Amino acid sequence: MSKVFRTGRVIEFSDTDAAGIVHFARYMAFMETAEHQFLHSLGTDVMFEHGGNRIGLPRVSASCDYKRPLFYKDKIEIQVRVLRIGTKSVKYGFRFTRGEEETAAGSIVCACCLINPDEPMRSIELPDFFKELIGPYLHDDAAP
Amino acid sequence: MSKVFRTGRVIEFSDTDAAGIVHFARYMAFMETAEHQFLHSLGTDVMFEHGGNRIGLPRVSASCDYKRPLFYKDKIEIQVRVLRIGTKSVKYGFRFTRGEEETAAGSIVCACCLINPDEPMRSIELPDFFKELIGPYLHDDAAP
Amino acid sequence: MSKVFRTGRVIEFSDTDAAGIVHFARYMAFMETAEHQFLHSLGTDVMFEHGGNRIGLPRVSASCDYKRPLFYKDKIEIQVRVLRIGTKSVKYGFRFTRGEEETAAGSIVCACCLINPDEPMRSIELPDFFKELIGPYLHDDAAP
Amino acid sequence: MSKVFRTGRVIEFSDTDAAGIVHFARYMAFMETAEHQFLHSLGTDVMFEHGGNRIGLPRVSASCDYKRPLFYKDKIEIQVRVLRIGTKSVKYGFRFTRGEEETAAGSIVCACCLINPDEPMRSIELPDFFKELIGPYLHDDAAP
């Protein structure tokens, strides 16, 4: 039985645009923060030291489907799932809900990279400890 | 021979994040502004009056693939193509280049909606004048 | 004995810039959100209906002194005080602390305005109920 | 006769908020970008190498007075003046105009700091070359 990480946030006025709703770019930041909170809940982070190296997980793609607008003061929940654990990348899925209502769903793909200072960044395999930490949150569902 | 709309921008310090590069959410705003500039170049906009109604084109999905990072002061070009003209929606494709290098590619799908004040928003067919304006920029290429 | 409203927030990655710290413009949004949370705690808001009118409190000036940088994941507290209740305006003061350390201090001045639809916006006197709600948070201290 | 640096920008949809106007925090980024463009026009930048050191000019305070709202698609000019050249700091003043109309005025104070990697940041005197470059833009007017 796969796990889901859940986090909440409240829409701030600065999240909105002149259409009176949350600007669509803000969902990307909301997804990223939910991903980071998920990793923190597991005792890790989006950048960490491992085996004498500095490792990071920069995003290589992101997408979002907008179903219902969000407004100033809305209380939302963001669910985080792991949709794919690749050799060198991980895909997260996100669902935005306001009460019973799904308002948006998106995904982010991150590549595992060496980010040592004074070295060119290059992709490497996801460390085993990381795959084990996020494994329980892996879902079959390929769609976010 | 399909047309491409091109616009430039220069990366500002406030576009960057602590990884030293442009934050991935900013690309969404960059794509949207390029879309708006494209529409302005055609004499229209993302919201307009038509046949006594107020019509808008809110985004229903957005995605971006990040290929190379962008940095403070980078001069980039953003190409805008029309990838699909549906009955009630339009899909735009965007390519980010820095010199000869493609740094990112993304897409936005907008739904055509009535946005009259004091009426619930609802989707409608794209007006013919709008389809005719953007038609010359339609490309076969389904991928952004 | 004047009251102080306190709220917390955690720095998100999207709040940072390429200097590795929270971008200075974000403090403005942080102050505004703290102001809104303060007003919500009193059962009111930055826009409200009163006496058949729609009233808003747009900002007419804002300032911030930056004392120590803030970083990704920092847990901060923001204190809100009322520094002046004028006839038609209100000035709020904000202190940012991380643990025992003050990291920044700022202020926002808002004008009380009629914002009825289809009428030009114009400044009006602060309603008595609003002055009474925020009165207990008024501090002598003229500096933020 | 003191000089004024002038730059333009066009308001983007993502600059706006649910009040239908440019969010007040965005003016801070607009002022910063105008400052950077001013420095670039002089052949320098907000961070540079000098005498074997890395020097930066982080902001220590910022303020803005908002006089008239700005809207999506507004074309604005931002004027940059130098209001004070201190031993270790510099104060810039900014005026926002839309056509003949002044819409806002603000200021930013930057401290000159050593920002060598692996050293604690500390304030130092402004290099002479920098003072000479910005000197022609110094105005008596203490208010922005």
Side-chain angles (χ1 to χ4, degrees):
Chain A
M1 185 61 182
S2 296
K3 289 182 173 182
V4 175
F5 176 79
R6 294 159 195 276
T7 184
R9 74 183 294 146
V10 181
I11 301 304
E12 303 176 52
F13 197 74
S14 59
D15 295 325
T16 62
D17 65 27
I21 62 178
V22 174
H23 190 263
F24 79 112
R26 286 296 291 158
Y27 290 70
M28 297 290 155
F30 294 175
M31 290 195 287
E32 179 183 56
T33 293
E35 168 204 342
H36 293 177
Q37 291 171 331
F38 166 59
L39 296 177
H40 301 165
S41 78
L42 300 173
T44 187
D45 204 344
V46 72
M47 290 172 287
F48 50 83
E49 308 288 331
H50 181 67
N53 288 304
R54 186 145 186 80
I55 292 176
L57 288 148
R59 2 327 336 255
V60 294
S61 75
S63 70
C64 193
D65 293 320
Y66 306 96
K67 297 173 186 184
R68 284 180 176 78
L70 293 173
F71 302 93
Y72 168 54
K73 293 198 285 184
D74 275 358
K75 289 181 178 62
I76 60 170
E77 184 185 84
I78 303 172
Q79 301 173 8
V80 184
R81 289 172 176 78
V82 176
L83 299 185
R84 192 180 64 233
I85 302 178
T87 310
K88 297 178 158 189
S89 70
V90 54
K91 180 180 185 180
Y92 300 102
F94 304 88
R95 287 175 198 255
F96 293 71
T97 55
R98 178 182 45 205
E100 296 301 301
E101 209 177 30
E102 184 173 277
T103 67
S107 66
I108 293 178
V109 178
C110 296
C112 188
C113 290
L114 274 189
I115 52 167
N116 289 321
D118 308 319
E119 270 181 42
M121 189 170 86
R122 63 183 176 80
S123 75
I124 57 162
E125 294 193 5
L126 278 171
D128 287 339
F129 90 90
F130 193 87
K131 292 200 270 195
E132 281 158 25
L133 283 174
I134 65 174
Y137 297 84
L138 182 62
H139 289 249
D140 281 341
D141 181 3
Chain B
M1 184 63 180
S2 297
K3 290 181 171 181
V4 175
F5 176 79
R6 294 158 196 276
T7 185
R9 73 183 296 146
V10 181
I11 301 303
E12 303 175 51
F13 197 74
S14 59
D15 295 325
T16 63
D17 65 26
I21 62 177
V22 174
H23 190 264
F24 80 114
R26 284 298 289 158
Y27 290 70
M28 298 291 155
F30 295 175
M31 292 195 287
E32 180 183 55
T33 293
E35 169 204 342
H36 292 177
Q37 293 171 331
F38 165 59
L39 296 177
H40 301 165
S41 78
L42 301 173
T44 187
D45 205 344
V46 72
M47 291 172 286
F48 50 82
E49 307 289 330
H50 182 68
N53 287 304
R54 186 146 185 80
I55 292 176
L57 288 148
R59 341 1 313 267
V60 294
S61 75
S63 70
C64 193
D65 292 322
Y66 305 96
K67 297 173 185 185
R68 283 179 176 76
L70 293 173
F71 302 93
Y72 168 54
K73 294 198 284 185
D74 276 358
K75 289 180 177 62
I76 61 169
E77 184 185 85
I78 304 173
Q79 301 172 7
V80 184
R81 288 171 177 78
V82 176
L83 299 185
R84 193 181 62 235
I85 303 178
T87 310
K88 295 178 159 190
S89 71
V90 53
K91 181 180 185 180
Y92 301 103
F94 304 88
R95 286 174 199 258
F96 292 71
T97 55
R98 179 181 46 205
E100 296 301 301
E101 210 177 31
E102 184 173 279
T103 68
S107 66
I108 293 178
V109 178
C110 296
C112 188
C113 291
L114 273 189
I115 53 166
N116 290 321
D118 308 319
E119 271 181 40
M121 190 170 86
R122 63 184 175 81
S123 74
I124 57 163
E125 293 193 7
L126 278 170
D128 287 338
F129 90 89
F130 193 86
K131 292 200 271 194
E132 280 158 25
L133 283 173
I134 65 174
Y137 296 85
L138 181 62
H139 289 250
D140 281 342
D141 181 2
Chain C
M1 185 62 181
S2 296
K3 288 182 173 182
V4 175
F5 176 79
R6 295 159 194 276
T7 183
R9 73 184 294 147
V10 181
I11 301 304
E12 303 176 51
F13 197 74
S14 59
D15 296 324
T16 63
D17 65 27
I21 63 178
V22 174
H23 189 264
F24 79 113
R26 285 298 289 158
Y27 290 70
M28 298 290 156
F30 295 175
M31 291 195 287
E32 179 183 56
T33 294
E35 168 204 342
H36 293 176
Q37 292 172 331
F38 166 58
L39 295 177
H40 302 165
S41 78
L42 300 173
T44 186
D45 205 344
V46 73
M47 290 172 287
F48 50 82
E49 308 289 331
H50 181 67
N53 288 303
R54 186 144 185 82
I55 293 176
L57 288 149
R59 13 307 351 250
V60 294
S61 75
S63 70
C64 193
D65 293 321
Y66 305 96
K67 297 174 186 183
R68 284 180 176 78
L70 293 173
F71 301 93
Y72 168 54
K73 292 198 285 184
D74 275 357
K75 289 180 178 62
I76 61 170
E77 184 186 85
I78 303 173
Q79 301 173 7
V80 184
R81 290 171 175 79
V82 176
L83 299 184
R84 192 180 64 235
I85 303 178
T87 309
K88 295 179 158 188
S89 70
V90 54
K91 181 179 185 181
Y92 301 103
F94 304 89
R95 287 174 198 258
F96 292 72
T97 55
R98 179 181 46 206
E100 296 301 301
E101 211 176 29
E102 184 173 278
T103 69
S107 66
I108 292 178
V109 178
C110 296
C112 188
C113 291
L114 273 189
I115 53 166
N116 289 321
D118 308 318
E119 270 180 41
M121 189 170 86
R122 62 183 177 82
S123 74
I124 56 161
E125 294 194 6
L126 278 170
D128 287 339
F129 90 89
F130 193 86
K131 292 200 270 194
E132 279 158 25
L133 282 173
I134 65 175
Y137 296 85
L138 181 62
H139 289 250
D140 282 341
D141 181 2
Chain D
M1 184 62 181
S2 297
K3 290 181 172 182
V4 176
F5 176 79
R6 294 160 195 275
T7 185
R9 74 183 295 146
V10 181
I11 300 304
E12 303 177 51
F13 197 75
S14 59
D15 296 324
T16 63
D17 65 26
I21 62 177
V22 173
H23 189 264
F24 79 113
R26 285 297 290 158
Y27 289 70
M28 298 290 154
F30 294 175
M31 292 195 286
E32 179 183 57
T33 294
E35 168 204 342
H36 293 176
Q37 292 172 331
F38 166 59
L39 296 177
H40 301 165
S41 77
L42 300 173
T44 187
D45 205 344
V46 72
M47 291 172 286
F48 50 82
E49 308 289 330
H50 181 67
N53 287 305
R54 186 146 185 80
I55 292 176
L57 288 148
R59 347 350 321 262
V60 294
S61 75
S63 71
C64 193
D65 292 321
Y66 306 96
K67 297 173 186 186
R68 283 180 176 77
L70 293 173
F71 302 92
Y72 167 55
K73 294 199 283 185
D74 275 357
K75 289 182 178 60
I76 60 169
E77 184 186 85
I78 303 173
Q79 302 173 7
V80 183
R81 289 171 175 78
V82 177
L83 298 184
R84 192 179 65 234
I85 303 178
T87 310
K88 296 179 159 188
S89 70
V90 54
K91 181 179 184 180
Y92 301 103
F94 304 89
R95 287 175 199 255
F96 293 71
T97 55
R98 179 181 44 205
E100 297 301 302
E101 208 178 31
E102 183 174 278
T103 68
S107 66
I108 293 178
V109 179
C110 296
C112 188
C113 290
L114 274 188
I115 53 167
N116 289 321
D118 308 320
E119 271 180 41
M121 188 169 87
R122 63 183 176 80
S123 74
I124 57 162
E125 294 193 6
L126 277 171
D128 287 339
F129 91 90
F130 193 86
K131 292 201 270 195
E132 281 159 24
L133 283 173
I134 64 174
Y137 297 83
L138 182 62
H139 289 249
D140 282 342
D141 180 2

